[in-house]
Amino acid sequence: MKANHLKCALGALVFSLLIPANQVSAKETPVLDYCANKSTGNVRKVTKGLCTQSEISLGTQPITRPKNRPSDLVPQFKARYEVAKVAAKLIGHTLTITSGYRSLAQQQILFDRAVKRNGSVTAATRWVLPPKKSNHPWGIAIDINYRVGGAKGEKAAAWLEKNGYKYGLCRRYENEWWHFEPLVAPGRKCPKMEPYAS
Ligand SMILES: [Zn+2]
């Protein structure tokens, strides 16, 4: 009995050594994904298999706050933005992130400045959320073309407002034409805009 157990354990060990970890995970084929072509920005729904090498996965869900505080934008959110940027460029719009990930300390500085500028915490909060509430320090918010590119920059952001849903990107607030978040699954309708952050 004991010898048999040992044999089994050894067998399992040899088996696990023979199959590298990456091959094991490649077997877990996703049943659904949205893949965007890196050079055209075209998105296709994949119900079996993986995105090709010329594509990037956009996922299938809204992107929510990660478990732990990140130190950059959440990668899939960044991927969504990058392909939207490619698609925009093809029709002459330039998208630039003017503010993306912010540390809690950076967000605090911006908030303190906004309080000074707007005269009260309540008024400031309509434009800049305090560190604990903002999605910028969670890596799931970007500001596009803010004070960059003038009217052209605003027009490009308006393009993203109209077409961002294809990539799962939405403008969130009525008073901030520049602020976008990954609020929906790719291809899904964006929720009604909130009047302002609060
Ligand atoms: Zn913002």
Side-chain angles (χ1 to χ4, degrees):
M1 205 58 179
K2 263 189 178 173
N4 267 345
H5 271 142
L6 186 65
K7 230 178 166 180
C8 269
L10 277 174
L13 181 68
V14 170
F15 189 69
S16 67
L17 286 174
L18 282 174
I19 299 181
N22 60 347
Q23 278 185 20
V24 172
S25 63
K27 276 185 178 173
E28 292 163 18
T29 309
V31 288
L32 175 67
D33 202 351
Y34 289 87
C35 304
N37 187 290
K38 290 180 208 167
S39 45
T40 66
N42 284 345
V43 182
R44 71 182 177 106
K45 187 179 178 181
V46 173
T47 49
K48 210 177 172 186
L50 302 160
C51 299
T52 65
Q53 285 212 323
S54 55
E55 294 173 325
I56 193 151
S57 163
L58 304 182
T60 61
Q61 298 293 326
I63 299 172
T64 53
R65 294 178 175 184
K67 248 188 198 164
N68 300 306
R69 286 276 180 191
S71 54
D72 199 350
L73 290 177
V74 168
Q76 195 158 68
F77 175 39
K78 210 172 177 180
R80 289 183 181 190
Y81 165 71
E82 289 298 338
V83 287
K85 184 180 166 172
V86 166
K89 193 77 206 172
L90 286 176
I91 51 163
H93 292 303
T94 304
L95 299 179
T96 307
I97 295 181
T98 47
S99 184
Y101 168 80
R102 298 171 192 153
S103 68
L104 289 169
Q106 284 167 330
Q107 186 71 26
Q108 186 68 55
I109 291 169
L110 291 180
F111 182 68
D112 291 345
R113 273 190 211 149
V115 172
K116 265 191 191 165
R117 197 169 55 232
N118 292 279
S120 75
V121 166
T122 311
T125 302
R126 292 190 171 199
W127 299 98
V128 183
L129 284 170
K132 280 189 179 163
K133 278 191 156 185
S134 172
N135 273 336
H136 281 282
W138 282 110
I140 51 168
I142 46 174
D143 295 343
I144 298 295
N145 295 358
Y146 180 65
R147 290 180 177 166
V148 160
K152 261 189 155 184
E154 268 192 61
K155 223 177 154 191
W159 176 89
L160 188 62
E161 180 185 331
K162 201 177 164 202
N163 295 280
Y165 76 95
K166 295 171 192 169
Y167 311 92
L169 304 174
C170 302
R171 173 177 162 187
R172 182 157 178 186
Y173 304 116
E174 280 170 13
N175 70 335
E176 296 189 359
W177 55 261
W178 54 85
H179 181 102
F180 290 83
E181 295 188 26
L183 298 177
V184 292
R188 292 300 176 101
K189 199 172 171 237
C190 286
K192 193 178 181 297
M193 265 190 265
E194 296 161 54
Y196 44 78
S198 56

